[in-house]
Amino acid sequence: MTIAASSLAWRDWLASRALPLWTTSGFDPRRNLFHERLSWDGTPIRMDALRLMVQARQVATCYRASLDGLYDATSKAEACLETMERLYHRRDGAPGWVFSIGPDDRPADCRRDLYAHAFVLYACAWSIRAGGPARLARETADEVRTIFAAHNDGFLDAVPPVDSLRRQNPHMHLLEAYLALFEATQDEFYLAEAREMAELALRHLIEPRSGLLLEFFDADWKPAEKAGSNRVEPGHLFEWSWLLGEYLRLASPHAAKTRHFRDAAEHLYQVGAAKGRDRATGLVFDAMTEDGDVFEHSTRIWPQTELIRLLCQRAKHQGGTLDEAAQFGERFLSGYAPDRLKGGWVDRLDASGAPLVDYMPASSLYHIYNAGREFIL
């Protein structure tokens, strides 16, 4: 598929199928909230609770599609963000955002979750880009510091904690959110927050022996498992590689640090591409060890989209072509988003290519849009 044909295919799929599906069947106009799951025929699946993270991801994606001129979903984004603040923010009288609400709109889980707060910040960034106020972003950023700050660097995953582990994933999405907020506001406060997360990756998250990003750590930032047995997700290698590239674009650190970040980003990509993909299909595996031993041969949507986005970034910044990204993007659409699903997708496949789940999670749209827009803009 040529670049032009790939661009047309992605534009048509996103603008004519996926975004309309998730802003009609995927949106509950009575509550002004998004459904978490649809069946493969587009029917909403009733959930006992709606998570904050999913709402924030959908809000951000709708704002982005509107700003990109691809699909006007501004009214849905604005309505949902207003409802989010009313139903999730400080709902129990304490700082921060509750994790989920039930069918009666009352809090179902009052835990404070760092990952979810990161996506609230990310949604606020795109709201600001669309002309919204900056108040909620700064309030939430201050609450993140109040609620989650750890005594030994970084943040706690949840309050109250669900276990003793520290995770890279919420820190990654904080970096993403703060970069988006800095670009939206030019407020140096957010760039300083982003710098902390980027430097945290070099201090703790990237294991020195392998140079790879680990998923789990103990309370003192030591790898959770013995050497050679730690979980590495190739999709996150690609996601961090892309984010470090964005950090370099926006932050312009000193030359020595620039080299460290660039070398780290390149190593994450090279090892992920060499060891984290199926040699026959090119698909990105779900998990391997830091020694490159794949132990989950299933493939989910989001690692594929992170690779697509990174390939596009590399082509644009290194003077290459988008041919590899376009070819992989075509494989993605045909394998994960077949025409029969009319804008939906199969979220996860086993090693044989058979679906592992029988529903469409709303949260995947955020990843898919991140990749698809690279072909369109």
Side-chain angles (χ1 to χ4, degrees):
M1 181 180 286
T2 65
I3 301 302
S6 181
S7 177
L8 286 173
W10 276 94
R11 179 177 290 274
D12 176 70
W13 187 79
L14 285 169
S16 302
R17 302 182 189 185
L19 289 164
L21 174 67
W22 286 97
T23 53
T24 55
S25 298
F27 187 77
D28 182 351
R30 181 183 63 83
R31 301 176 75 187
N32 282 331
L33 294 170
F34 289 92
H35 296 294
E36 283 217 12
R37 296 176 181 176
L38 298 179
S39 65
W40 283 342
D41 66 2
T43 303
I45 297 174
R46 179 180 171 81
M47 305 290 291
D48 291 335
L50 294 180
R51 292 172 294 167
L52 170 66
M53 177 272 290
V54 174
Q55 303 304 315
R57 280 191 176 194
Q58 295 297 76
V59 166
T61 302
C62 286
Y63 273 126
R64 295 189 79 188
S66 303
L67 290 164
D68 289 340
L70 185 65
Y71 183 83
D72 187 5
T74 305
S75 61
K76 299 285 177 32
E78 289 176 344
C80 185
L81 184 57
E82 185 279 328
T83 302
M84 276 173 53
E85 183 175 10
R86 178 168 53 84
L87 296 182
Y88 292 84
H89 192 218
R90 302 175 182 173
R91 185 66 186 284
D92 56 357
W97 299 69
V98 300
F99 182 78
S100 63
I101 61 170
D104 59 358
D105 289 345
R106 296 179 182 276
D109 186 341
C110 289
R111 170 176 31 131
R112 282 2 186 213
D113 179 71
L114 182 63
Y115 187 95
H117 280 67
F119 275 104
V120 170
L121 290 167
Y122 187 67
C124 287
W126 293 103
S127 170
I128 293 168
R129 289 280 288 267
R135 169 193 57 82
L136 189 58
R138 186 55 186 264
E139 284 182 8
T140 301
D142 290 342
E143 288 175 331
V144 166
R145 284 281 170 194
T146 300
I147 298 166
F148 299 102
H151 72 279
N152 60 346
D153 221 355
F155 295 99
L156 304 175
D157 284 17
V159 176
V162 295
D163 54 37
S164 62
L165 291 175
R166 310 286 290 276
R167 294 166 173 80
Q168 71 76 24
N169 204 8
H171 295 84
M172 177 183 72
H173 287 296
L174 275 179
L175 172 59
E176 175 187 40
Y178 287 133
L179 288 174
L181 281 164
F182 173 66
E183 196 160 22
T185 65
Q186 294 302 300
D187 186 336
E188 292 288 331
F189 168 82
Y190 295 117
L191 184 59
E193 295 293 302
R195 184 176 296 112
E196 277 200 40
M197 294 302 97
E199 293 182 351
L200 180 79
L202 298 187
R203 284 196 303 273
H204 296 306
L205 308 182
I206 296 176
E207 189 266 324
R209 181 179 66 88
S210 64
L212 296 185
L213 178 89
L214 306 188
E215 291 293 322
F216 303 114
F217 304 84
D218 68 15
D220 295 317
W221 287 117
K222 299 295 189 297
E225 304 294 338
K226 65 180 182 180
S229 301
N230 287 281
R231 183 181 182 90
V232 169
E233 296 189 1
H236 282 149
L237 302 185
F238 299 139
E239 198 165 0
W240 266 102
S241 184
W242 185 88
L243 279 167
L244 291 177
E246 285 292 281
Y247 174 70
L248 290 174
R249 178 177 70 85
L250 293 168
S252 301
H254 296 304
K257 286 191 174 182
T258 294
R259 185 177 67 254
H260 290 318
F261 285 119
R262 185 175 292 122
D263 289 349
E266 182 66 19
H267 185 69
L268 295 179
Y269 165 70
Q270 292 293 346
V271 176
K275 297 185 177 181
R277 300 178 69 183
D278 187 306
R279 292 184 179 181
T281 65
L283 295 177
V284 182
F285 293 124
D286 280 344
M288 63 186 191
T289 69
E290 71 267 45
D291 289 343
D293 298 321
V294 176
F295 61 87
E296 286 185 11
H297 290 80
S298 53
T299 62
R300 295 188 65 183
I301 270 185
W302 70 263
Q304 321 312 317
T305 60
E306 292 306 324
L307 176 57
I308 291 169
R309 182 171 66 164
L310 178 58
L311 290 173
C312 290
Q313 181 194 64
R314 290 173 63 83
K316 293 173 183 177
H317 291 179
Q318 298 178 12
T321 71
L322 290 171
D323 291 345
E324 183 181 0
Q327 292 170 4
F328 193 63
E330 179 185 11
R331 181 177 300 154
F332 172 85
L333 286 178
S334 62
Y336 291 91
D339 288 342
R340 64 182 174 81
L341 295 185
K342 301 177 181 179
W345 48 77
V346 180
D347 189 66
R348 191 173 188 182
L349 305 174
D350 66 16
S352 71
L356 282 170
V357 294
D358 60 356
Y359 59 85
M360 298 179 277
S363 57
S364 295
L365 182 60
Y366 147 83
H367 287 287
I368 296 169
Y369 193 80
N370 282 344
R373 72 187 301 273
E374 296 297 324
F375 292 114
I376 295 166
L377 304 181

